[in-house]
Amino acid sequence: MRAVLALALAIALSACEHSEPFAVRAPGVLGPAGSTLPLQLTFNVGPDQMPAVTPESIVYSTLDPDRADGDRCFGYVPLSGGTRFRTTCIGGPFADDRQDALLQPAPAPDGRIAFVRARDPVGSRSVGGQRLQVAHPDDIENPQLDLSILFTLPDGRRLLGVRELQWTAAGVLRFVAGHEFLDTSDGVDTVFVPLALATVDPDVGTFRQVGGSDDAFTHAEAPGGAIWFLRTDDPHHLRLLEPATGVVSAVGSFAAAVTTIGVVDGQPVGVANGTVDGSPRATLEWLDPITGATTGSLIVSGRVRAVVGVPNSRRVVLEVERSASRDLWLFELP
């Protein structure tokens, strides 16, 4: 009887011991949703915008509508598509009492990233409080460059906004500089008025207007450090600007008014947004950089808001707006 009781007690005690903690494992990294181009890269119900590319990945600004503080973060996906492998937010992954937005990502060849950071009260639609920053992606909250976007052109006009932030071959930051304000005439919308191209030296923070770039609203890096750009009063004709001299020359003409340009496989690519049978439709058209002649075109369903070429390929990342969503897609030019 004593032996039986001892065995029963041992079994009871062993049943009361704590088990090992339950291990939560992160989901495995998945490849792209398919292998046939065009390929949808992001599926967030909120907007995925402002793509830029590195040799390994695509970085973009993303908004999760379920995030209580309304923060915009940087998301990273592989160049060929697949699971988002990294998300960078101010203050970490959890909501706080401020609305922080990471915008206009521009990765540098040395691994740093330039961007625009906006910080406002939660729910604010303000366009103030924006800063131009450069930091390491692993230490985004300790920038090496931190400038308030309150620049002044030589003629006295004030600048409150930055668009199309890019690194140049010379290692400076170039962007479309302009005035930004809230338009409440029909709802609430942010309006950006481009004024000129400008640069900032990331080492010393010096701001300069690019001579010859008045009224430029989109730009791209051309061979030899030159700049391809278009002016607001003439969105059909692509121009080439030599920044050292301010000399502007004509390159070629797009068939329709262009809203933004990019570079794919060394060629300037323009995007013209329109409507066909009541549905938004975009036309990508690329020009020969020497002759200016049209060498190809591509039709895309929806409105294309940004075009970024993948280095050493004919592939291009597009920010496509369809209905109420904005997602990134991967296309390849024929």
Side-chain angles (χ1 to χ4, degrees), residues 2 23 37 49 101 105 124 145 157 168 180 208 225 240-241 257 266 271 295 297-298 313:
R2 289 179 178 176
L37 298 179
Q49 302 170 266
S124 173
L145 173 72
R157 288 179 295 176
T168 72
E180 192 172 68
R208 288 190 176 90
L240 181 72
L241 168 62
V271 176
T295 57
S297 63
L298 178 70
S313 76

Side-chain angles (χ1 to χ4, degrees), residues 6-229:
L7 178 60
L9 179 61
I11 292 173
L13 290 174
S14 66
C16 294
E17 291 179 355
H18 293 289
S19 62
E20 290 295 322
F22 179 74
V24 178
R25 295 183 179 179
V29 175
L30 300 177
S35 58
T36 303
L37 298 179
L39 182 66
Q40 187 171 352
L41 298 172
T42 64
F43 297 85
N44 177 28
V45 295
D48 294 327
Q49 302 170 266
M50 309 170 190
V53 301
T54 75
E56 298 82 24
S57 63
I58 302 163
V59 55
Y60 57 98
S61 179
T62 180
L63 171 64
D64 179 359
D66 292 330
R67 188 172 171 119
D69 58 6
D71 278 11
R72 289 179 179 264
C73 306
F74 285 155
Y76 293 78
V77 296
L79 276 177
S80 58
T83 303
R84 185 198 299 179
F85 63 85
R86 182 178 190 176
T87 303
T88 301
C89 306
I90 297 296
F94 303 109
D96 54 25
D97 60 353
R98 298 292 295 179
Q99 181 174 286
D100 292 290
L102 296 177
L103 309 167
Q104 306 288 329
D110 62 6
R112 295 179 298 167
I113 186 169
F115 55 95
V116 173
R117 176 181 173 180
R119 185 170 175 82
D120 294 293
V122 175
S124 173
R125 294 296 299 270
S126 170
V127 296
Q130 296 189 24
R131 306 191 70 82
L132 177 60
Q133 298 185 336
V134 176
H136 192 278
D138 293 330
D139 197 15
I140 204 82
E141 297 191 54
N142 291 296
Q144 302 154 15
L145 173 72
D146 183 16
L147 292 179
S148 175
I149 300 179
L150 292 172
F151 304 124
T152 304
L153 294 178
D155 61 8
R157 288 179 295 176
R158 298 295 301 273
L159 306 174
L160 298 173
V162 167
R163 293 291 188 276
E164 296 190 4
L165 182 63
Q166 302 172 10
W167 289 90
T168 72
V172 301
L173 292 165
R174 188 176 63 233
F175 47 87
V176 179
H179 181 58
E180 192 172 68
F181 62 94
L182 286 180
D183 181 7
T184 58
S185 59
D186 184 16
V188 180
D189 194 14
T190 301
V191 176
F192 178 75
V193 180
L195 298 177
L197 300 180
T199 63
V200 163
D201 186 324
D203 294 325
V204 296
T206 304
F207 169 86
R208 288 190 176 90
Q209 180 181 349
V210 178
S213 69
D214 285 346
D215 298 323
F217 70 92
T218 185
H219 66 116
E221 187 86 352
I227 306 168
W228 284 312
F229 77 102

Side-chain angles (χ1 to χ4, degrees), residues 41 51-53 57-58 79 264 304 306-310 315-320 327-331:
L41 298 172
V53 301
S57 63
I58 302 163
L79 276 177
V264 182
V304 173
V307 50
V308 182
V310 176
R315 293 190 169 192
V316 57
V317 178
L318 303 180
E319 177 191 322
V320 181
D327 292 295
L328 305 185
W329 286 74
L330 184 64
F331 281 75

Side-chain angles (χ1 to χ4, degrees), residues 48-51 257-260 270-284 298-307 317-329 331:
D48 294 327
Q49 302 170 266
M50 309 170 190
V258 167
T259 57
T260 187
V271 176
N273 287 299
T275 302
V276 176
D277 296 330
S279 299
R281 193 76 56 86
T283 301
L284 274 65
L298 178 70
I299 304 297
V300 177
S301 176
R303 298 188 184 279
V304 173
R305 301 301 187 182
V307 50
V317 178
L318 303 180
E319 177 191 322
V320 181
E321 181 181 7
R322 293 177 178 171
S323 299
S325 68
R326 287 195 183 188
D327 292 295
L328 305 185
W329 286 74
F331 281 75

